[in-house]
Amino acid sequence: MSEALVLRHDAGGICTLTLNRPAQRNAINRELFREFRAHIRDIEADGSEIGLIVVTGAGGHFCAGHDLKQAPHADALGWLRQEMLILERLTKLPQPVIAKVRGSCYTGGLEFALSADFIVCDASARFADTHGKWGLVPGWGLSQRLPRRVGQAKALEMMLTCQPYTGEQAAAMGLANYCVADDELDAKVSELAALILGNSRHSNAENKRLVYDTDGMALGAGLNHELMRNAGFDPAMRKKGEPIGNAKKAD
């Protein structure tokens, strides 16, 4: 049997999904996307032991984008919609999602990373939207997610120039949450994961839901939504005022 195109590894409450076409810089073809979709469905169906998702790429790259060598699907628009919706389902998972980026994070790969809640990269990372070089337009959410993350002017700069940006530049513009030295990426993601997992999974999921559900709302509507759609206390709280999990009560 051929090796899986998306590898899954669960440990310590973390599910790591690794895009696994290193010889193609993890370029995304339909077979890889089908495997990724199956993993997302599995997590949705039975993810009670998972507190956090990490999406990364095998080898020295995150993802070079869509594999343009593959012929278009017979129902190109229908398949594109399926791809877009599965990335939206990744975003809507109750678990926080971290994109762990080394090397190329281009175009479709950038859209994958933007579907995560956090982007953590190292100095080798290069981010670019190259749709314009190929006469293409985004279909996996880049025109919506990129401006929300970096602002309209910077998003247009990235989209219209197609130039690459370093990891340091990505962090400076707010595209990446953190950029670290090449040999520190694993440790930084582990550090961030430990901080997240040390808090209530209930709170993490509900805070994430509230932020995304109210995106674009006027302040008054958002405040009302927060109050009326509030999920309340974590039932796992042992007693009022005592922290959850690994969190330590502040002095």
Side-chain angles (χ1 to χ4, degrees), residues 14 41 45 96-97 109 119-120 126 140 181 189-190 193 197 222 228 245-246:
I14 301 172
R41 288 173 171 172
V97 181
I119 298 176
V120 182
R126 295 294 182 269
W140 293 352
V189 170
S190 295
L197 291 174
M228 302 306 296
N246 298 325

Side-chain angles (χ1 to χ4, degrees), residues 118-243:
F118 304 92
I119 298 176
V120 182
C121 69
D122 66 15
S124 76
R126 295 294 182 269
F127 298 86
D129 172 37
T130 64
H131 281 98
K133 286 186 176 295
W134 301 94
L136 302 171
V137 293
W140 293 352
L142 185 137
S143 71
Q144 302 305 303
R145 291 191 176 96
L146 185 60
R148 285 168 166 80
R149 194 177 287 253
V150 303
Q152 186 181 81
K154 201 67 179 179
L156 283 171
E157 177 187 308
M158 291 186 70
M159 296 169 73
L160 302 186
T161 67
C162 299
Q163 66 179 325
Y165 295 76
T166 66
E168 289 184 353
Q169 289 173 319
M173 73 173 80
L175 174 58
N177 295 81
Y178 303 97
C179 176
V180 297
D182 292 351
D183 60 351
E184 295 177 4
L185 182 58
D186 291 343
K188 186 62 181 180
V189 170
S190 295
E191 174 192 349
L192 181 59
L195 288 171
I196 293 169
L197 291 174
N199 297 319
S200 160
R201 291 187 182 183
H202 169 85
S203 296
N204 286 343
E206 291 304 316
N207 287 338
K208 175 176 171 175
R209 180 185 62 80
L210 285 171
V211 167
Y212 286 127
D213 283 356
T214 57
D215 184 28
M217 284 188 184
L219 177 59
L223 291 172
N224 186 62
H225 184 98
E226 180 185 282
L227 179 64
M228 302 306 296
R229 298 293 300 276
N230 196 300
F233 289 111
D234 187 336
M237 286 288 286
R238 290 176 294 234
K239 62 181 181 180
K240 187 176 180 180
E242 185 172 347

Side-chain angles (χ1 to χ4, degrees), residues 14-28:
I14 301 172
C15 173
T16 301
L17 299 176
T18 302
L19 310 182
N20 189 36
R21 297 184 75 210
Q24 293 80 29
R25 294 190 298 165
N26 302 312
I28 302 162

Side-chain angles (χ1 to χ4, degrees), residues 33-113:
F33 213 102
R34 288 188 180 100
E35 290 189 24
F36 189 84
R37 177 177 60 187
H39 285 301
I40 297 304
R41 288 173 171 172
D42 288 345
I43 293 168
E44 290 173 333
D46 186 22
S48 59
E49 300 302 314
I50 298 169
L52 184 140
I53 314 292
V54 175
V55 180
T56 191
H61 297 277
F62 180 76
C63 177
H66 195 280
D67 189 346
L68 297 178
K69 293 180 180 179
Q70 186 173 54
H73 192 281
D75 179 11
L77 184 59
W79 179 251
L80 183 65
R81 179 171 174 78
Q82 287 191 50
E83 293 171 321
M84 181 270 290
L85 289 175
I86 203 64
L87 289 182
E88 179 67 1
R89 285 164 68 176
L90 173 66
T91 301
K92 288 187 174 181
L93 287 172
Q95 297 91 344
V97 181
I98 298 173
K100 177 181 173 182
V101 178
R102 289 186 174 93
S104 301
C105 184
Y106 280 17
T107 318
L110 178 57
E111 290 179 296
F112 247 82

